[in-house]
Amino acid sequence: EPEVTQTPSHQVTQMGQEVILRCVPISNHLYFYWYRQILGQKVEFLVSFYNNEISEKSEIFDDQFSVERPDGSNFTLKIRSTKLEDSAMYFCASSHGQGGNYEQYFGPGTRLTVT
Amino acid sequence: AQSVTQLGSHVSVSEGALVLLRCNYSSSVPPYLFWYVQYPNQGLQLLLKYTSAATLVKGINGFEAEFKKSETSFHLTKPSAHMSDAAEYFCAVRVYNQGGKLIFGQGTELSVKP
């Protein structure tokens, strides 16, 4: 069964460093998302991406964040200068988004620890 | 704006007992609703979805949920809890726009006692 994959599973970085989180969505899906979950809190939306552009972003998704689909399979989230408060689990999700197929399938997540 | 509220951050049941996890939604348009399960240190797995077809939705692992418009609810149930059901459960509503982001509830941690 197709699944969303994410790498790395765990990333430790120092404050101020750049990190890139990688995701491979399900191959025939058209919509891509990043969410994050700070420890003990609910899952929060960061950004959605469709047709090679951002379709929506949250207040969290400021200028330090960017997303890219560099090729036909990968979807990346870049944080330019990490802060302590960026420590969280980051989930990638994808959805077909057409014909009523709106359910989002999530990857296993990348745990980002900023020290 | 659309939102979901999950009543009860922690629910504890005995093995074999009924599981009832509550979710209420707010939406000005017919909602698309979802339940996800998160096992420790894992991602979110889709349990079931409501997309305006049948109001009683069956999902994986014996779970089901009933959409009740009059009560703006989408509660998750399972007739008989199993130890393996212990996890965090999230209710979510899909926002009705181009991006279609999900808005999640706070989550309910389900404990199952032997």
Side-chain angles (χ1 to χ4, degrees):
Chain A
E1 185 175 323
E3 58 182 18
V4 177
T5 60
Q6 290 185 243
T7 54
S9 57
H10 192 187
Q11 174 91 45
V12 181
T13 189
Q14 288 189 330
M15 194 167 51
Q17 295 296 305
E18 174 183 286
V19 294
I20 297 176
L21 310 183
R22 292 183 167 79
C23 168
V24 178
I26 294 173
S27 62
N28 66 340
H29 284 186
L30 303 174
Y31 292 79
F32 313 112
Y33 307 84
W34 283 101
Y35 293 83
R36 79 173 186 188
Q37 184 182 31
I38 294 172
L39 187 64
Q41 298 185 22
K42 68 177 180 180
V43 179
E44 302 174 285
F45 167 77
L46 290 178
V47 65
S48 57
F49 193 85
Y50 170 72
N51 200 25
N52 285 319
E53 60 183 26
I54 290 174
S55 47
E56 187 177 2
K57 58 185 180 180
S58 72
E59 294 174 352
I60 303 167
F61 195 89
D62 61 21
D63 292 343
Q64 294 300 313
F65 291 86
S66 63
V67 289
E68 194 177 36
R69 189 157 162 81
D71 51 43
S73 59
N74 289 283
F75 180 50
T76 62
L77 174 69
K78 182 194 291 186
I79 309 175
R80 289 191 186 82
S81 178
T82 50
K83 307 184 188 87
L84 293 176
E85 53 265 36
D86 293 328
S87 294
M89 182 74 92
Y90 288 80
F91 293 107
C92 173
S94 70
S95 168
H96 188 276
Q98 294 185 350
N101 294 316
Y102 295 117
E103 58 267 35
Q104 294 180 24
Y105 293 89
F106 284 74
T110 293
R111 181 171 298 284
L112 176 64
T113 302
V114 182
T115 60
Chain B
Q2 291 163 285
S3 65
V4 291
T5 302
Q6 290 182 243
L7 299 176
S9 59
H10 190 200
V11 170
S12 181
V13 300
S14 298
E15 193 172 19
L18 171 72
V19 175
L20 171 60
L21 304 181
R22 299 178 187 273
C23 173
N24 288 89
Y25 70 90
S26 172
S27 178
S28 58
V29 298
Y32 283 7
L33 295 161
F34 305 87
W35 275 100
Y36 285 85
V37 60
Q38 184 181 32
Y39 298 103
N41 300 313
Q42 293 189 29
L44 297 162
Q45 182 181 8
L46 180 66
L47 270 179
L48 49 78
K49 62 179 181 180
Y50 169 75
T51 56
S52 76
T55 55
L56 182 61
V57 181
K58 294 188 185 299
I60 61 171
N61 302 338
F63 284 93
E64 61 183 37
E66 186 172 8
F67 174 75
K68 291 187 177 180
K69 184 178 179 181
S70 60
E71 298 177 8
T72 61
S73 68
F74 189 57
H75 301 333
L76 182 71
T77 61
K78 182 174 179 178
S80 177
H82 192 271
M83 296 295 289
S84 61
D85 295 327
E88 185 100 21
Y89 291 80
F90 292 95
C91 182
V93 63
R94 179 184 182 272
V95 172
Y96 197 75
N97 64 9
Q98 174 67 19
K101 68 183 179 187
L102 294 177
I103 295 175
F104 286 86
Q106 292 282 65
T108 298
E109 183 180 355
L110 175 67
S111 300
V112 182
K113 299 174 291 187

